[in-house]
Amino acid sequence: MHPKTWIWLGIGVVLLLAAANLAILAAFPPGQQHVQEPVKRVDWILPFGPGFEYCGPYESPVIAYDGANETWHLRNVTAYNRTINLGDRYSLDPAHPEDIRYTPDVAIEGGQVSLDFLIRNLAGEDCARADLAMTTGTTTLNTTTGSPEGNIPPGAATTLPIDDLAAGEWREVRVTADLPRPGQEEVLYLTIDLTAPYTLTTPNGTPVDFDFRRETVTLLGSNTSWKEEIDPGSTPDPDYNRARLPRGSATFIIMGIDRSEPIPPPTFPTLRAG
């Protein structure tokens, strides 16, 4: 091939690479943040747990287990029993957030941990009676990766009844779960989930079932909402709907009393009344 041909070929490659870089820069300007999909809120009975605040397992509260005395102790009680400001997560109008605050009030008594979840009725119906479902799951935490080992199999569900929760009303509910006993070298990861009821009963005795396709879905932080279209006369699939029930969570790290924490606990700003 003639030397000039090689030169022009090289120039062409350089120009193509430059054009590609310009196209990439136009699509993704320097410093532009990745835009995440907005969080969606379904208008039903919504449970909220402090697990929303924790970005990963290592930021969860640590419970130390003393095997000799068979006792458990929550470390850094103040850090994890702070008041949480829910902002627009539960407001009836996300464009005008309400000042909704709650405190988990985590406590250990004997071999059980208890804490408050917050629920709010956004179903548009007064709820005379409904049953929340509380489940727990325990797995080993990999202290190298900071991730749970495999899936967390849920235990048997415990029913938590709620009564007289008017439309728009919110309430704290107390949840109690048994604590596991870690082995000498084990670090366990405990999850507590609180799931919304599938059916609520109105004050006049009418049952209202949860159907994700019939619920209004709201983008948090905006006034955008929509309903999914359904075929006339179609029968809702309970399995489809139950898998999409709103739920809140709380997570804990359980380890021997002589073990040091994987990393220092997170620090949170203190909310002041005002």
Side-chain angles (χ1 to χ4, degrees):
M1 187 178 289
H2 196 278
K4 288 186 176 181
T5 303
W6 283 108
I7 293 173
W8 285 110
L9 182 61
I11 293 174
V13 171
V14 171
L15 290 175
L16 286 173
L17 290 174
N21 286 332
L22 288 174
I24 293 173
L25 288 174
F28 305 98
Q32 180 180 0
Q33 297 291 329
H34 172 67
V35 179
Q36 296 182 346
E37 182 180 356
V39 179
K40 300 173 184 178
R41 186 190 75 189
V42 177
D43 288 350
W44 188 245
I45 293 181
L46 300 185
F48 174 91
F52 191 101
E53 303 294 297
Y54 311 143
C55 299
Y58 276 176
E59 295 187 18
S60 300
V62 174
I63 296 177
Y65 173 63
D66 183 353
N69 299 310
E70 292 198 351
T71 56
W72 290 260
H73 172 71
L74 176 66
R75 295 177 178 173
N76 305 299
V77 176
T78 303
Y80 293 106
N81 275 340
R82 67 188 181 91
T83 299
I84 298 174
N85 190 338
L86 299 183
D88 60 5
R89 300 174 209 171
Y90 279 78
S91 295
L92 298 177
D93 181 2
H96 301 88
E98 302 171 60
D99 186 20
I100 302 176
R101 306 180 182 190
Y102 103 105
T103 306
D105 285 329
V106 183
I108 294 177
E109 295 182 7
Q112 294 183 318
V113 59
S114 61
L115 72 155
D116 287 337
F117 279 68
L118 184 138
I119 57 172
R120 187 162 200 184
N121 183 1
L122 298 179
E125 299 274 0
D126 289 341
C127 172
R129 167 79 185 197
D131 289 328
L132 304 168
M134 190 273 287
T135 55
T136 62
T138 304
T139 189
T140 302
L141 186 70
N142 188 315
T143 56
T144 301
T145 64
S147 301
E149 297 282 8
N151 296 325
I152 304 175
T158 301
T159 299
L160 184 66
I162 54 171
D163 299 309
D164 301 323
L165 189 66
E169 182 182 357
W170 60 272
R171 179 185 304 166
E172 293 182 5
V173 295
R174 196 73 176 168
V175 170
T176 301
D178 293 331
L179 287 167
R181 293 172 168 81
Q184 187 173 0
E185 299 299 325
E186 270 190 322
V187 177
L188 300 180
Y189 187 58
L190 171 68
T191 63
I192 303 174
D193 291 325
L194 189 65
T195 306
Y198 178 64
T199 301
L200 66 83
T201 303
T202 65
N204 63 8
T206 302
V208 180
D209 292 338
F210 172 77
D211 185 354
F212 182 80
R213 299 171 301 174
R214 291 189 172 91
E215 297 308 314
T216 300
V217 179
T218 305
L219 295 179
L220 293 186
S222 75
N223 288 320
T224 304
S225 62
W226 73 93
K227 284 189 177 182
E228 293 195 10
E229 296 295 331
I230 60 174
D231 296 329
S234 65
T235 302
D237 180 358
D239 292 334
Y240 176 91
N241 290 315
R242 284 194 173 92
R244 287 159 179 79
L245 283 169
R247 65 199 64 206
S249 67
T251 58
F252 298 90
I253 296 175
I254 320 291
M255 62 174 61
I257 194 170
D258 296 327
R259 291 186 65 105
S260 59
E261 294 184 22
I263 59 173
T267 56
F268 301 106
T270 301
L271 291 176
R272 296 181 179 178

